[in-house]
Amino acid sequence: MLGLTSVCVFLFSALALAVSSGYSFGAGGLLLASMYLLWKRPRLDLQRREYLLIATLLLYFGVYAANMLYHGDPLREFDMPVRALLAVPVLLLLMAYPPRAAAWWSGVSIGAIAGAALGLWQFLALHIERPEGSASNAIHYGNVSILLGMLSLCGLGWARRQRYAMAWTILLIAGAVAGIIGSIISGSRGGWLVLPLCVCLFASQCIKARRKHLLPAILAAFIALAAVVAYALPESLVRERVEVAVDDVQKFNQTDNVTTSIGQRIEMWRTALILSREHIWIGLGRTGYLAGKQRLADEGKMDKTILAHTNAHNDYFDALVKRGLTGLATLLAFFFLPLVLFARALCHSNSNTRPYALAGVVLYSCYPIFGLTTSSLTLNIGIIMLVFPLVILWPLLRQHERAA
């Protein structure tokens, strides 16, 4: 069983961006393997923290599913909160049979490298302006790519203690660089916002561990990479996308232009706030939200260019307008309660547990930022790449805590 969970954990990240729905191979394998717990009942040794994580997953599923039933939303909408429910048996399985650490760290780095390779092929050979990898759109591809890259960096502390430390370090650094490259070529500007936060997190850990000599190297590596891509290349995608963003904001401020990417987002956020006032506690549901948009468009209170969008391109506004304050509070708990648990573990971590606690903090720091400019939890890849890394990292963290 330990071998099976390790293989599934590796495949989950390694195939995430390189194969269509590649994350499903590992996630599905773990879910099927969790049925083993029905007749083989190993000792789980669950603590209050595990019960809190399980309660958070069940709360998200329960509130969102009940809200969808109340509003009569299409059955396909239930697909997203069900992912949180399915993560619970996987958590229990991995608490009993934690995967090998090498399977996790090699998976995230190879996943970032494979995703960047596919994205570069689409960009250079197929001349796709904004590569999507194997994801459904460029935004989610870029966000998952940079997430895998940042998670790869978290494993450097683990790599130093391995037999082939240099090889592991090179692989993880390559994964980090590949993750950033994938994000850059995707043109997904929202994902770039996590870089300063991650730099601060890594720098604080270097200072805490009294390895101050690594701090300039980490900061210099990120700054150099950003400078090379943003300014040295003849036709920098970063510079181009930033200039477009500035121009979009100026057009919206001057003429209320909603034909641009940022203009449409602002219009969607404004519309969501207007509609959310109608049913502030339980929201409108997906059907009511779309009907409300059509009504505002017919009344001339909303630009018709955003009618085709089924979400508010912001996790928080989308939760507010569809699920009300109840749904928004549930979303905030879904994001920030695991973050608090990982952050507390990081504060009390040692050299063995620190990589997993840091990875958990990075995971749950990135997603609230991703959710500012897109609805990251409305697609399979978005919610799966949040809840399954959670239920993989936590058992690894607890395993090393017990060993210590």
Side-chain angles (χ1 to χ4, degrees):
M1 185 56 71
L2 291 174
L4 177 60
T5 58
S6 297
V7 169
C8 290
V9 164
F10 170 79
L11 292 176
F12 170 74
S13 300
L15 301 180
L17 292 177
V19 178
S20 180
S21 298
Y23 47 81
S24 299
F25 292 96
L30 290 171
L31 183 61
L32 290 174
S34 67
M35 292 190 292
Y36 181 69
L37 299 177
L38 294 176
W39 64 84
K40 181 70 173 180
R41 300 176 182 240
R43 182 180 179 85
L44 297 178
D45 191 26
L46 298 182
Q47 294 184 350
R48 178 174 173 269
R49 294 178 294 173
E50 282 79 65
Y51 288 116
L52 282 174
L53 287 177
I54 292 172
T56 302
L57 293 169
L58 293 179
L59 176 68
Y60 181 80
F61 165 74
V63 170
Y64 273 58
N67 187 280
M68 291 173 183
L69 283 172
Y70 177 81
H71 289 298
D73 286 343
L75 287 177
R76 63 178 178 274
E77 289 291 298
F78 291 82
D79 205 28
M80 299 305 109
V82 163
R83 298 297 186 269
L85 176 65
L86 297 180
V88 173
V90 175
L91 173 63
L92 299 177
L93 172 72
L94 296 182
M95 288 297 296
Y97 306 102
R100 295 183 179 88
W104 165 252
W105 296 118
S106 60
V108 294
S109 55
I110 291 175
I113 294 169
L118 178 57
L120 285 171
W121 179 70
Q122 293 174 342
F123 182 69
L124 299 174
L126 302 183
H127 305 291
I128 298 176
E129 183 178 355
R130 295 186 62 188
E132 300 177 353
S134 64
S136 58
N137 62 58
I139 295 175
H140 289 276
Y141 164 67
N143 288 348
V144 173
S145 181
I146 201 167
L147 174 65
L148 293 176
M150 296 301 98
L151 290 175
S152 296
L153 278 183
C154 296
L156 290 177
W158 170 83
R160 288 190 314 108
R161 299 186 301 276
Q162 303 310 303
R163 182 178 179 183
Y164 301 103
M166 182 58 69
W168 278 110
T169 299
I170 292 173
L171 177 63
L172 290 169
I173 291 176
V177 173
I180 296 173
I181 290 174
S183 175
I184 289 172
I185 63 176
S186 75
S188 303
R189 294 168 296 209
W192 303 342
L193 299 176
V194 307
L195 274 176
L197 175 62
C198 290
V199 168
C200 293
L201 283 172
F202 297 140
S204 67
Q205 291 308 299
C206 288
I207 294 173
K208 179 181 177 180
R210 298 181 180 178
R211 293 194 295 271
K212 296 183 181 181
H213 62 284
L214 292 179
L215 177 57
I218 292 175
L219 294 177
F222 276 94
I223 293 172
L225 180 62
V228 168
V229 175
Y231 303 107
L233 293 180
E235 298 181 1
S236 168
L237 289 173
V238 173
R239 184 170 60 245
E240 178 184 339
R241 293 291 289 167
V242 170
E243 290 173 352
V244 168
V246 173
D247 185 60
D248 287 356
V249 172
Q250 290 175 345
K251 287 180 180 178
F252 185 84
N253 288 335
Q254 294 169 2
T255 63
D256 288 337
N257 189 325
V258 297
T259 62
T260 64
S261 174
I262 290 181
Q264 288 188 350
R265 278 182 169 83
I266 296 175
E267 181 71 355
M268 283 186 276
W269 300 343
R270 184 184 70 83
T271 300
L273 281 175
I274 292 173
L275 292 174
S276 66
R277 298 168 189 163
E278 297 181 7
H279 296 279
I280 191 63
W281 290 108
I282 60 173
L284 299 169
R286 182 183 187 273
T287 304
Y289 170 59
L290 296 180
K293 286 175 65 178
Q294 184 65 59
R295 186 181 71 251
L296 290 180
D298 293 339
E299 295 172 356
K301 298 179 181 178
M302 185 197 80
D303 196 282
K304 293 184 178 181
T305 58
I306 65 168
L307 272 176
H309 296 280
T310 59
N311 58 69
H313 262 268
N314 177 291
D315 276 329
Y316 309 100
F317 289 140
D318 198 62
L320 180 63
V321 70
K322 293 179 181 176
R323 318 298 165 204
L325 289 176
T326 306
L328 178 59
T330 302
L331 176 68
L332 293 175
F334 189 55
F335 276 158
F336 294 110
L337 194 148
L339 175 60
V340 170
L341 293 178
F342 276 115
R344 290 182 63 182
L346 183 60
C347 290
H348 301 93
S349 63
N350 54 45
S351 59
N352 291 321
T353 60
R354 188 173 298 118
Y356 310 101
L358 179 59
V361 171
V362 166
L363 173 68
Y364 274 88
S365 297
C366 287
Y367 257 84
I369 295 176
F370 293 157
L372 294 173
T373 55
T374 188
S375 295
S376 55
L377 302 182
T378 58
L379 289 177
N380 276 335
I381 189 172
I383 191 165
I384 286 179
M385 293 304 296
L386 174 65
V387 297
F388 276 84
L390 163 66
V391 299
I392 292 170
L393 283 168
W394 189 261
L396 286 169
L397 170 65
R398 290 282 286 112
Q399 179 191 29
H400 288 81
E401 282 183 349
R402 288 192 293 264

